[in-house]
Amino acid sequence: DICLMGLPKVGKTSIAKVIFQKMNPKLTLMLEETSKVESFEFKLHNIPLRVFDFPGKYDISEAPPNELMIIEGCYAVIFVINAQVLALLDVSEPFSDSFEMLNDIASYIQNNNAKCSFHVFLNKAESDVFNEEARQDLLVKTRQQTQEVLNTS
């Protein structure tokens, strides 16, 4: 099982629908905000997989037991971050909201699910919005902040 997590409007549901349900990416602009955990089931080389799409306004400290069981049993968390929001932040500002949420989730999982791996996906970094240098800068900043969060969790 894989958990897709991140703040609201970062593209978690769009990613899941495009990849697992073959939705046209242009149609994802009309998707409503996810209000509850949703799952997508599919097969990869005949191996059944489930992806759980968590709502953006998710507080792991208030999660019901059935959702904690999903998190405690998953093999990977893909934490999605909106590159366009990060680009608007002052360089001296930490990526507060995204990385605060990542820290909360990482802390919980490191204490309750040792087999889980973390992956951070920088979404909405299209070449028509960012030039190559700006994308590389965002990638470096994101890696540094992610390492800080995961090393202190």
Side-chain angles (χ1 to χ4, degrees), residues 94 106 108 118:
Y108 182 84
F118 281 86

Side-chain angles (χ1 to χ4, degrees), residues 7 79 95-107 145 149:
L7 293 176
F79 193 85
F95 305 150
S96 55
D97 294 342
S98 289
F99 289 96
E100 186 177 314
M101 183 180 196
L102 177 61
N103 183 53
D104 293 345
I105 293 165
S107 295
Q145 193 79 22
V149 166

Side-chain angles (χ1 to χ4, degrees), residues 101-126:
M101 183 180 196
L102 177 61
N103 183 53
D104 293 345
I105 293 165
S107 295
Y108 182 84
I109 290 179
Q110 287 176 348
N111 291 325
N112 296 284
N113 183 353
K115 70 182 181 298
C116 185
S117 63
F118 281 86
H119 306 274
V120 174
F121 183 80
L122 197 53
N123 196 25
K124 302 183 183 185
E126 294 87 356

Side-chain angles (χ1 to χ4, degrees), residues 4-15 32-34 53-60 77-83 85-86 89 94-105 120-121 123-124:
L4 276 176
M5 302 179 110
L7 293 176
K9 297 295 185 189
V10 296
K12 301 175 300 293
T13 303
S14 297
I15 292 166
E32 292 192 24
E33 193 171 306
T34 304
D53 178 16
F54 282 76
K57 295 178 182 168
Y58 194 78
D59 185 349
I60 198 158
V77 168
I78 299 173
F79 193 85
V80 182
I81 296 175
N82 183 339
V85 169
L86 291 186
L89 296 174
F95 305 150
S96 55
D97 294 342
S98 289
F99 289 96
E100 186 177 314
M101 183 180 196
L102 177 61
N103 183 53
D104 293 345
I105 293 165
V120 174
F121 183 80
N123 196 25
K124 302 183 183 185

Side-chain angles (χ1 to χ4, degrees), residues 6 8 27-28 33 52 58 71 76-77 88-89 93 95 135 140:
L27 296 177
T28 63
E33 193 171 306
F52 292 93
Y58 194 78
I71 295 167
V77 168
L88 297 175
L89 296 174
E93 285 184 64
F95 305 150
R135 286 199 318 217
V140 168

Side-chain angles (χ1 to χ4, degrees), residues 1 3 54 68 110 141:
D1 293 350
C3 295
F54 282 76
L68 291 176
Q110 287 176 348
K141 282 175 61 176

